[in-house]
Amino acid sequence: MTDGGDLGWWGVLIAVMGGAIRVSTPYLFVSLGETLTEKGGRVNLGLEGILVMGAMSGYGTAVVTGEPWLGVIVAGCAGSALALLHGLICNLTRVNDIAVGISLFIFGTGLAFFLGKPFINPSAPRLPHLELGAWSTYPQVRSALEINALFIIGVVLAFALAWGLKNMKWGLILRTVGDSTEAATALGYSVNWVRTMGTVAGGFLSGVGGSFLSLYYPGTWNEGLSSGQGLMAVALVIFARWNPIYCFYVSLLFGGATALGPALQTVGITSNYYLYGAAPYFLTLGLLIYSSSTKHSLAGAPGEVSISR
Amino acid sequence: MKKALPASARIGRVFALFYPMVADIEATTINLTSGRKKMSKKFQMSRRDVLHQGGNIIAAGSMMSLLPTLALAAKTVTVGFIYVGPRQDFGWNQSHWDAARKVSKIKGIKVVEQENVPETAEVEKVMQSMIELDGAKVIFGTSFGYWKSIKKMAKKYPNVLFTHIGAIWKSGDPKNVIGYRGYTEEPHYLCGIAAGRMSKTGKIGFIGSKPLYFIYNNCNGFVLGARSVRPDLTCNVVLTGEWNNPVKEAETTNSLIDKGCDVIVANVDSPKVSVETCERRGVFSCGYHSDLSSLAPKGFLTGAEWNWASGAEFVRAFTTGKPYPNLKRGGFKDDMVGLSPFGAAVPQKVRDEILTAKQAFVDDKLKIYKGPLKDNKGNEVLKAGQVISNTDIKFKLGVRFFVEGVAG
């Protein structure tokens, strides 16, 4: 049991920070995935469906095999499969990737709900976490610093992707394809192939993000599991300027915003809890308005992405 | 009258051939001989009706083939359960699913079920198919939002009994509708006793969904029960504003635990996430809706449950032609609520204390709301000596306050 040390307003701060770390991981993975997809010149709005599908398949695998890490991998593969569908359909001429994304969103969630029925009841083993707060005597701090390995992988991945996009050959190819179809074709790259691969890689990461929801936090599978994290991550990518490192910061911000409401209510600020609950969504709206200003250009926006064309 | 019939009329005629049970189509076929204008109008109506029923050809076919078997099995009553969500969700829907299991064990009753039925016209189609295809005589509509559809279908099928969980039936509503609901504040009071005895910090937590009367009552029951054994105890209340949002529920549970609460009950659609989070963080939890003891072998204390299976008595009364109430609310006295099995952490002494209190509810000796009672803002709600009956629904529906001891 806890010793019940009351930290007052510090408690709120710690809860928001802990919440930021706990809640941000799915945002981080989905936004990294969408960054890869959009850098290649396509928008995949179906990430919400992929996220839910990943959550379901990961949970189901963990229930059946008892091995949560296998669940993470299966979730990624399920995500890639759905993303491949998106990629292949968008390879056809005059197919609108936004429309395909929306239908994939509905298809993915529907399929996950349909296949996920038997897994609502059983409990799956959870992913392990690292106790980075063992030095503290406060249980609140210890709990806030229980960090899941996926979060750390996500952070490392954010920096690796940022470096790779800038310095490695695949990064350059992806950016070329994303910025100018003509240039990429002139250089002899298959635009469709590169874009499909970008989408598939993005789908893998989104699927992994979904498995975090079902296998670590909140660590359950039901049909209300995702409250739009996949869709919000798309807005988040725009705000993060297609920069993986910014994706990490913005994910933390969104996670903290989600944790704010419950933390404030426990210290007795109970009015307007709907407003606090809507904080992440307000943030999304605000960010979109801010980033759609005509005064400054969208630095980093891939030239071929349909939303910036 | 030998004019070519409009396409719609021809379709209607084909339907009429296959579907002689529907009286108005038969009537329409006869009406063919009268004036054309009148006829086509009639046909339009019946066609819409036919289309509205959806899948009627299948209905007709299977009903015909079922006729002999129906006659043989006339003694078996088919009962339909309709759930708004997945039926094994460790929550609201499961409490009804549990009831369906109990009801299906009664001899002479067959249960048909459908889950994930939205609160739209969809539920009417499901009811219709249960009545017409499965021959259901009783329909349990287990979501509040089914109310309008239930009233509509009850008028259409006066020989079928419909139950609704809101207990909001009023005179003027169809007679073949029953509203029933348990007083879950009573088992919450017992959970409160467990919480008061087991809490080390003297702080407990209540997670609510929306600010509705039964959420206030459940919370007050929980706090009053806890303070009946530990008067200095306080309770932190957090309302999530949503029936089902696992991330928010987990986050709320974590912040309550960070705040020092060491017994937590969650009044949301499925308290599974909250109970599991409590178990991981090593604090106690209480359940709601259905039995959640398996989710937290170490920290589960007990839980407040519904006993929807009490609706079986309506089935019996309706099928044997005996009178039944249209509105029924009750607590332990009427066997309409239940208590989850105790968790391993609860010592025998506390179990005895809780079971004694439960018996006092059965005997109507223990009242939840009694004076002197203050709300959490210090206003006097009940004077010393004032007692509210456990069945005083007017008072309970009007509860919009938290009792003293609730923070926030």
Side-chain angles (χ1 to χ4, degrees):
Chain A
M1 304 299 130
T2 58
D3 352 313
D6 195 341
L7 300 176
W9 282 97
W10 280 108
V12 175
L13 194 65
I14 291 170
V16 169
M17 279 163 54
I21 295 171
R22 283 188 295 252
V23 181
S24 63
T25 311
Y27 289 126
L28 178 59
F29 273 90
V30 178
S31 59
L32 289 180
E34 184 68 6
T35 303
L36 280 184
T37 308
E38 290 192 15
K39 275 287 182 193
R42 272 199 192 135
V43 179
N44 185 357
L45 282 186
L47 289 182
E48 175 77 13
I50 292 176
L51 178 93
V52 175
M53 193 64 198
M56 189 284 295
S57 55
Y59 196 75
T61 309
V63 167
V64 173
T65 63
E67 183 46 70
W69 284 109
L70 193 64
V72 174
I73 293 166
V74 170
C77 294
S80 318
L82 277 182
L84 182 65
L85 190 68
H86 182 277
L88 292 180
I89 295 175
C90 292
N91 283 349
L92 306 170
T93 42
R94 285 204 212 109
V95 169
N96 184 319
D97 53 354
I98 305 271
V100 174
I102 290 172
S103 49
L104 190 70
F105 162 24
I106 297 166
F107 173 70
T109 41
L111 190 67
F113 290 174
F114 175 71
L115 296 175
K117 282 275 175 286
F119 302 118
I120 291 173
N121 197 282
S123 291
R126 275 179 109 207
L127 290 169
H129 59 253
L130 307 172
E131 306 257 0
L132 294 185
W135 49 270
S136 171
T137 49
Y138 289 105
Q140 291 91 332
V141 176
R142 279 208 297 274
S143 136
L145 287 177
E146 269 180 12
I147 291 178
N148 180 267
L150 271 184
F151 177 75
I152 296 164
I153 295 175
V155 177
V156 172
L157 204 62
F159 285 92
L161 282 181
W163 187 81
L165 277 173
K166 202 172 168 207
N167 297 313
M168 288 179 72
K169 195 184 173 193
W170 62 261
L172 191 63
I173 297 170
L174 191 68
R175 283 191 293 135
T176 312
V177 168
D179 271 331
S180 166
T181 314
E182 288 82 7
T185 317
L187 286 168
Y189 294 116
S190 162
V191 173
N192 278 343
W193 167 254
V194 174
R195 284 187 182 158
T196 308
M197 283 305 110
T199 314
V200 167
F204 187 89
L205 293 182
S206 307
V208 170
S211 73
F212 178 89
L213 278 178
S214 62
L215 289 173
Y216 185 71
Y217 194 79
T220 187
W221 160 248
N222 77 37
E223 293 171 6
L225 182 60
S226 164
S227 43
Q229 280 95 332
L231 281 177
M232 273 151 68
V234 177
L236 197 148
V237 171
I238 299 170
F239 180 61
R241 295 281 183 276
W242 293 269
N243 181 334
I245 296 173
Y246 288 175
C247 281
F248 167 56
Y249 298 144
V250 180
S251 301
L252 278 182
L253 196 66
F254 270 61
T258 311
L260 184 66
L264 282 179
Q265 278 198 59
T266 47
V267 292
I269 300 175
T270 46
S271 51
N272 305 327
Y273 53 89
Y274 278 108
L275 204 61
Y276 298 127
Y281 306 95
F282 276 126
L283 205 57
T284 313
L285 268 181
L287 296 185
L288 281 178
I289 292 167
Y290 170 74
S291 50
S292 69
S293 162
T294 48
K295 297 255 167 62
H296 51 84
S297 66
L298 283 174
E304 290 289 328
V305 162
S306 51
I307 44 174
S308 56
R309 247 189 316 220
Chain B
M1 218 201 86
K2 280 281 163 197
K3 270 183 206 165
L5 289 173
S8 62
R10 266 178 281 145
I11 294 168
R13 198 170 211 179
V14 174
F15 275 137
L17 282 174
F18 279 99
Y19 203 54
M21 289 86 167
V22 181
D24 54 344
I25 299 189
E26 253 180 310
T28 327
T29 2
I30 295 161
N31 269 335
L32 276 172
T33 42
S34 52
R36 193 191 163 184
K37 210 167 188 183
K38 191 181 162 197
M39 177 206 77
S40 60
K41 201 180 169 193
K42 265 269 175 192
F43 256 120
Q44 267 174 359
M45 279 175 68
S46 70
R47 180 167 148 261
R48 194 170 58 204
D49 216 37
V50 165
L51 286 177
H52 182 78
Q53 285 175 4
N56 46 75
I57 294 186
I58 309 164
S62 52
M63 271 181 94
M64 280 181 197
S65 61
L66 272 175
L67 277 177
T69 42
L70 272 179
L72 276 176
K75 289 267 164 61
T76 307
V77 180
T78 303
V79 174
F81 277 81
I82 303 173
Y83 314 108
V84 72
R87 58 195 178 186
Q88 276 171 291
D89 61 351
F90 277 108
W92 170 259
N93 292 299
Q94 186 156 352
S95 72
H96 294 280
W97 186 73
D98 290 342
R101 297 281 73 67
K102 281 187 199 163
V103 171
S104 69
K105 289 207 179 81
I106 299 171
K107 216 182 154 203
I109 293 184
K110 190 188 141 206
V111 167
V112 290
E113 299 167 283
Q114 187 151 343
E115 55 186 339
N116 292 317
V117 180
E119 297 165 333
T120 58
E122 181 71 22
V123 68
E124 292 166 26
K125 280 186 203 149
V126 171
M127 286 176 188
Q128 189 159 21
S129 104
M130 281 182 168
I131 293 166
E132 300 215 340
L133 294 184
D134 303 311
K137 282 279 164 234
V138 183
I139 299 281
F140 283 82
T142 70
S143 186
F144 193 87
Y146 292 162
W147 182 233
K148 270 191 183 161
S149 303
I150 284 178
K151 281 202 287 188
K152 193 171 155 196
M153 298 306 277
K155 282 189 193 119
K156 197 167 175 187
Y157 296 101
N159 296 325
V160 177
L161 180 71
F162 294 80
T163 74
H164 180 248
I165 44 70
I168 46 172
W169 189 92
K170 54 187 187 304
S171 64
D173 289 336
K175 289 277 177 206
N176 53 331
V177 174
I178 295 176
Y180 77 121
R181 191 179 182 92
Y183 291 122
T184 43
E185 52 271 24
E186 292 183 10
H188 269 92
Y189 187 95
L190 304 181
C191 291
I193 297 178
R197 286 290 180 218
M198 301 303 293
S199 171
K200 292 195 178 78
T201 59
K203 274 177 154 190
I204 57 177
F206 180 95
I207 301 170
S209 47
K210 305 197 179 207
L212 298 168
Y213 79 94
F214 56 89
I215 298 290
Y216 282 105
N217 279 317
N218 285 344
C219 178
N220 289 343
F222 186 57
V223 178
L224 289 169
R227 283 169 69 96
S228 74
V229 294
R230 186 166 177 178
D232 66 330
L233 175 140
T234 58
C235 179
N236 283 81
V237 176
V238 177
L239 299 180
T240 63
E242 282 170 75
W243 294 113
N244 181 1
N245 186 331
V247 173
K248 220 182 224 179
E249 288 153 23
E251 204 43 57
T252 306
T253 310
N254 272 317
S255 31
L256 283 173
I257 298 170
D258 287 344
K259 199 64 195 147
C261 300
D262 63 354
V263 186
I264 291 172
V265 65
N267 274 209
V268 292
D269 252 6
S270 169
K272 185 184 180 197
V273 168
S274 173
V275 169
E276 284 182 333
T277 309
C278 286
E279 183 77 352
R280 272 176 216 136
R281 295 281 307 262
V283 303
F284 294 124
S285 55
C286 292
Y288 181 43
H289 296 312
S290 56
D291 180 8
L292 284 91
S293 53
S294 61
L295 293 176
K298 278 185 276 175
F300 188 79
L301 298 180
T302 181
E305 290 184 27
W306 307 91
N307 181 21
W308 299 110
S310 62
E313 64 174 277
F314 307 137
V315 179
R316 240 174 260 139
F318 185 75
T319 48
T320 52
K322 295 210 176 75
Y324 54 84
N326 282 110
L327 196 57
K328 192 175 177 190
R329 283 179 185 265
F332 281 112
K333 192 167 167 263
D334 295 290
D335 192 26
M336 289 180 73
V337 291
L339 193 68
S340 301
F342 292 111
V346 186
Q348 192 57 43
K349 225 178 116 189
V350 179
R351 295 181 187 205
D352 292 341
E353 190 178 10
I354 292 168
L355 292 176
T356 314
K358 186 183 167 193
Q359 191 56 42
F361 276 126
V362 175
D363 301 337
D364 207 16
K365 282 180 188 144
L366 180 58
K367 314 282 185 208
I368 288 183
Y369 290 110
K370 53 178 184 278
L373 183 70
K374 278 185 184 166
D375 69 12
N376 66 341
K377 297 191 178 77
N379 306 318
E380 190 175 58
V381 180
L382 295 174
K383 290 193 185 76
Q386 220 177 337
V387 178
I388 298 292
S389 158
N390 282 342
T391 52
D392 186 344
I393 190 60
K394 252 198 184 144
F395 178 85
K396 287 189 172 176
L397 283 177
V399 172
R400 287 284 180 284
F401 62 87
F402 290 120
V403 293
E404 194 178 6
V406 170

